[in-house]
Amino acid sequence: MRFPAEPYRIKVVEPIRYSSKEERAKLLERAGLNIFAVPADSIYIDLLTDSGTSAMSDSQWAGLMVGDESYAGSRNFFKLEQTVREITGYRHVIPTHQGRMAENLLFSAMVRPGQVVPNNSHFDTTRANVEAQGAEALDLVIPEGLDPAAEHPFKGNLDTARLEEVLQARGKSDVPLVMITVTNNSGGGQPVSIANARAVRAICDRHGVPLFFDACRFAENAYFIKEREPGHANRSVREIARELFDVAVGCTMSAKKDGLVNIGGFLAFQADALEEAVTNLLLRVEGFPTYGGLAGRDLEAMARGLEEVLDEDYLSFRINQVRMLGTMLDQAGVPIVKPVGGHAVYIDAKRFLAHIPQSQFPGQALVVALYRTYGIRAVEVGSLMFGHKDPKTGEEVFPKLDLVRLAVPRRVYTSEQMRYVARSVIEIHKERETLRGLRIVHEAPVLRHFTARLAEVTPAPVRT
Ligand code: P61
């Protein structure tokens, strides 16, 4: 299989260090086998997240120099507003410092205690912001979206039959809005089709409920539509993205993903009636509406990034670089979530380390091995992140999937570096029986994966 080469050349380099195995072993021990507590400059390839880790272009860096830092009415805001209006068609554009603040503003204005917000899959900050309003965050992704091996072109689609049931049962008064996350991060970066978004919109219209997007990875989603949805192959990604945005009435956006910036986001919507409530809260918690918690220069970089992300040479390389990593692993027999998503490859750790039970955190065991042996940072999305004790029985409850995410930052690593990652994972796969399970030594009551301390269980499993 052939994959496109990088559609850019390197003008500035940031040295990265290949730390020694001995140093990494010491750092891991000090960190309690928790990769979040390891200093980033001891990491060779960092695949913890694709969020805020993009490389900016020369045009974006130049844009920083034309930042207008006026408290009110910065020219960079007007440029951003115009750019977002052109791409999305939404009238009101409220800048925020990142995605979760856009979520906070939207849900504070629209969601009340006891209500329910359906989504294909809520991202963790989205869920937290819905729940902070005393409402229920309901995931309604299609069944294929929960099966790592199911090959479906749009595994991020929302289950319309279940949405209809929820809306019939709860009605407009209990469902303030419906959301679709494009691409579906919690489900493996899987895309949503325009046909599915339209079907969701038709149901929303029948019940008088507005539809919003969580649009963090809208350009990657639009590229998948061009590739996979019948009738879109000869249209530009910009046209497809606009058609997608037209299906909803607004969106939240973390520009740390498809805005190609290190910090930034926005909330955009059509309804004039929403503006006042959102602006009042913004003024209290984030800043004046023409800067929204950012510097003028950040707004300029974001406006330029939103244009650059729609470049099809960039998108073709981007999607295919991630796909190449996934294909190399798949061809070597490493179990991954298929098809490969837009921003990350997800390894199925339960199958990779079949000898380690979920109670011994197979995903985290793989994360530890990848860093210890090869200096690569991945992140566990499994029993360490989502496992918890049942409050009634005190028994550990494990999530269905134990995954390890290799999230690929945009425009940062070369394909040779991706080959290094693939070779490293494949080497560990060959030696997988030597890996040991882990046990928790210390955990916090909430979001334990960020601060937990772990140790290896002894003795090591016997090799057969
Ligand atoms: C990520 F472990 N994603 O994937 P903000 N919606 C969606 C996201 O993917 C997302 C946000 C909203 C991250 C960063 C991250 O506990 C974590 O700009 C679909 O980060 O506020 C972020 O956007 C929120 C990773 C965030 C985490 C929180 O890596």
Side-chain angles (χ1 to χ4, degrees), residues 283-325:
L283 284 165
R284 183 158 62 79
V285 299
E286 184 79 331
F288 193 76
T290 61
Y291 72 82
L294 293 167
R297 56 180 173 272
D298 297 329
L299 302 174
E300 184 66 28
M302 186 168 20
R304 294 183 186 207
L306 287 166
E307 289 288 346
E308 289 176 12
V309 81
L310 291 169
D311 178 286
E312 300 201 13
D313 288 340
Y314 156 74
L315 275 171
S316 164
F317 172 73
R318 160 73 178 159
I319 297 293
N320 279 294
Q321 188 186 42
V322 177
R323 188 175 291 155
M324 180 185 84
L325 175 60

Side-chain angles (χ1 to χ4, degrees), residues 36 48-52 97-103 121-126 181-186 214-217 252-257 263-265 343 346 379 385 405 407 447 449-450:
F36 284 97
L48 181 67
T49 179
D50 66 318
S51 179
H97 78 278
Q98 62 184 88
R100 65 197 73 182
M101 181 50 83
E103 294 163 1
S121 304
H122 288 82
F123 185 66
D124 67 356
T125 57
T126 324
T181 307
V182 294
T183 57
N184 190 25
N185 185 9
S186 309
D214 175 338
C216 300
R217 299 176 179 87
T252 56
M253 174 77 190
S254 167
K256 297 172 75 170
K257 286 82 170 172
I263 194 73
H343 66 292
Y346 290 71
V379 70
M385 190 179 272
R405 182 176 83 164
L447 295 174
H449 57 287
F450 288 125

Side-chain angles (χ1 to χ4, degrees), residues 78-88 303 306-307:
F78 296 114
K79 165 111 168 252
L80 175 70
E81 183 183 53
Q82 190 194 344
T83 305
V84 175
R85 279 181 178 161
E86 277 170 16
I87 292 172
T88 66
L306 287 166
E307 289 288 346

Side-chain angles (χ1 to χ4, degrees), residues 98-117:
Q98 62 184 88
R100 65 197 73 182
M101 181 50 83
E103 294 163 1
N104 184 1
L105 295 173
L106 180 69
F107 300 144
S108 298
M110 293 191 66
V111 180
R112 300 287 163 260
Q115 292 185 321
V116 56
V117 177

